[in-house]
Amino acid sequence: MAAPGENLRINPDRLWDSLMEMAKIGPGVAGGNNRQTLTDADSEGRHLFAAWCAKAGMKMGVDSMGNMFARREGTDPDALPIYVGSHLDTQPTGGKYDGILGVLGGLEVIRSLNDMNIKTKHPIVVTNWTNEEGTRFAPAMLASGVFAGMHTEDWAKDRTDADGKKFGDELRRIGWEGDERVGERKMHAFFELHIEQGPILEAEGKQIGVVTHGQGLWWLEVTLTGKDAHTGSTPMNMRVNAGLGMARITEAVHRIAMDHQPAAVGAVGQANVYPNSRNVIPGKAVFTIDFRSPDLAKLTSMREKLEVEAAQIAADLGLGISIEPVGHFDPVTFDEGCVAAIRDAAERLGYSHMNIVSGAGHDACWINRLYPTAMVMCPCVGGLSHNEAEEISKEWAGAGADVLFHAVVETAEIVS
Ligand code: HGY
Ligand code: MN
Ligand code: MN
């Protein structure tokens, strides 16, 4: 396939302006975003993305999980499209770039093709996957997981948020339950541009991460049952303290991850004690453990060791315990051909680059199970993400989108 000339570049100013425009929707309280999935802000962001796609001459399709697919025609309508995209939903204290750079980077590829009046053999489809974050409705990458056949649509639509609202009801409420059957679309390949969300690229002084692998993940929701009692008048030896159990298990999660170094991580990010009153010993604690590793044996070992230790901690404190997996995917190896397209593009464009393993999960991890898939990453300042202070530079965004442009266009085969 003819590779695009090294002078073919996207318009970084236009990309940056679109990122800043999208960031105005669902603002956080400290300069980032709180545009959680299936909220009115999410819907507003979707409408803005759809308007931009229409202006770029693309045809929009939406499936029954709310996944958005904006199509630019190729010269061969029967050729399977190249898909490119990520997610527009954010964490409650999210940044302006996590996911959004991949969706708007895909749109910038189309805008640049239109500017240059380049035609490709394969159609190109820019995608916004619903509920990548999994913060309001667990698990993460929910809609791309249904698309990839990892979850049933009914199970996904029954997931509830902290207020008991169902995914399916919220999707209908905001008017984004599409008429396409989820998973029916076929792809020639899928590419995702994403910020690294870690410190490696910046520390190594590299502009581009060529993502060869992705960590696997376990999300384990633990429920501890003790006994509400007075924090003042209850003797210490009579207490059945679920909050103490949560603290000990949280410490065990950290220690188990440290025992599995290198290339293993663990933490508790979501934690609730009940009744959460200052002078009541918590009779219940519900919290989610997040273990990850690129090494399947380590990932499995961390889960197994935690389950043994947590049972012992609960027994020592007289607590009831249940552990429910609420998210899981094995470590990912991305498609060598697509990874090479990313690496060759970085070479051709003269961007410094290195191979990298994705620390975070992405929709690409699921799509990779169905179709040839690869990711390109750009650095982020201090490796910070899932924090409103998440920051990248326009240059990094532009370099990442240039590499995405070349990998997508080369795979889509330039015709004229
Ligand atoms: O959890 C993750 O890795 C992603 O940010 N949803
Ligand atoms: Mn993301
Ligand atoms: Mn994220």
Side-chain angles (χ1 to χ4, degrees), residues 1-186:
M1 278 173 261
E6 61 85 32
N7 59 336
L8 286 187
R9 311 256 170 165
I10 57 100
N11 179 332
D13 294 325
R14 179 173 54 196
L15 172 57
W16 195 257
D17 290 348
S18 295
L19 285 164
M20 295 306 112
E21 195 62 30
M22 181 61 75
K24 291 175 188 167
I25 297 174
V29 295
N33 276 107
N34 179 7
R35 192 172 56 244
Q36 296 184 56
T37 196
L38 307 189
T39 58
D40 293 339
D42 181 20
S43 179
E44 195 185 335
R46 287 164 171 264
H47 283 297
L48 177 59
F49 171 59
W52 282 339
C53 290
K55 201 161 168 224
M58 300 159 88
K59 183 170 177 296
M60 182 66 75
V62 182
D63 73 14
S64 55
M65 285 294 292
N67 297 312
M68 298 172 74
F69 304 102
R71 178 183 169 113
R72 180 185 199 255
E73 284 309 332
T75 56
D76 176 354
D78 300 327
L80 286 181
I82 312 304
Y83 281 67
V84 54
S86 189
H87 61 92
L88 291 173
D89 66 310
T90 77
Q91 288 284 334
T93 55
K96 300 190 283 287
Y97 312 99
D98 168 2
I100 300 102
L101 178 63
V103 178
L104 300 188
L107 174 60
E108 180 53 35
V109 166
I110 303 301
R111 287 168 164 171
S112 299
L113 288 172
N114 291 346
D115 287 350
M116 303 170 199
N117 196 22
I118 291 177
K119 298 213 179 338
T120 58
K121 175 188 172 197
H122 294 261
I124 299 172
V125 177
V126 183
T127 306
N128 168 35
W129 297 106
T130 305
N131 189 36
E132 188 281 340
E133 291 295 357
T135 179
R136 185 181 174 197
F137 299 97
M141 299 109 77
L142 181 60
S144 53
V146 174
F147 185 95
M150 306 310 295
H151 317 297
T152 67
E153 182 172 344
D154 290 347
W155 179 82
K157 288 185 168 173
D158 261 354
R159 308 300 289 158
T160 56
D161 68 6
D163 300 326
K165 289 181 183 163
K166 282 192 176 179
F167 182 99
D169 296 339
E170 284 294 281
L171 182 64
R172 281 183 288 277
R173 182 186 67 79
I174 65 167
W176 282 97
E177 183 178 49
D179 51 10
E180 287 188 17
R181 279 168 55 85
V182 59
E184 288 208 325
R185 285 175 171 259
K186 308 289 178 236

Side-chain angles (χ1 to χ4, degrees), residues 234-289:
T234 309
M236 291 304 281
N237 65 357
M238 285 176 62
R239 298 183 179 206
V240 191
N241 187 339
L244 177 58
M246 180 172 78
R248 288 186 181 174
I249 292 172
T250 301
E251 168 66 27
V253 167
H254 180 83
R255 180 172 27 78
I256 288 167
M258 294 310 288
D259 291 347
H260 283 76
Q261 292 308 303
V265 292
V268 170
Q270 181 189 55
N272 293 289
V273 292
Y274 302 89
N276 200 25
S277 166
R278 291 179 186 80
N279 44 8
V280 177
I281 296 164
K284 183 179 172 187
V286 182
F287 52 103
T288 304
I289 295 166

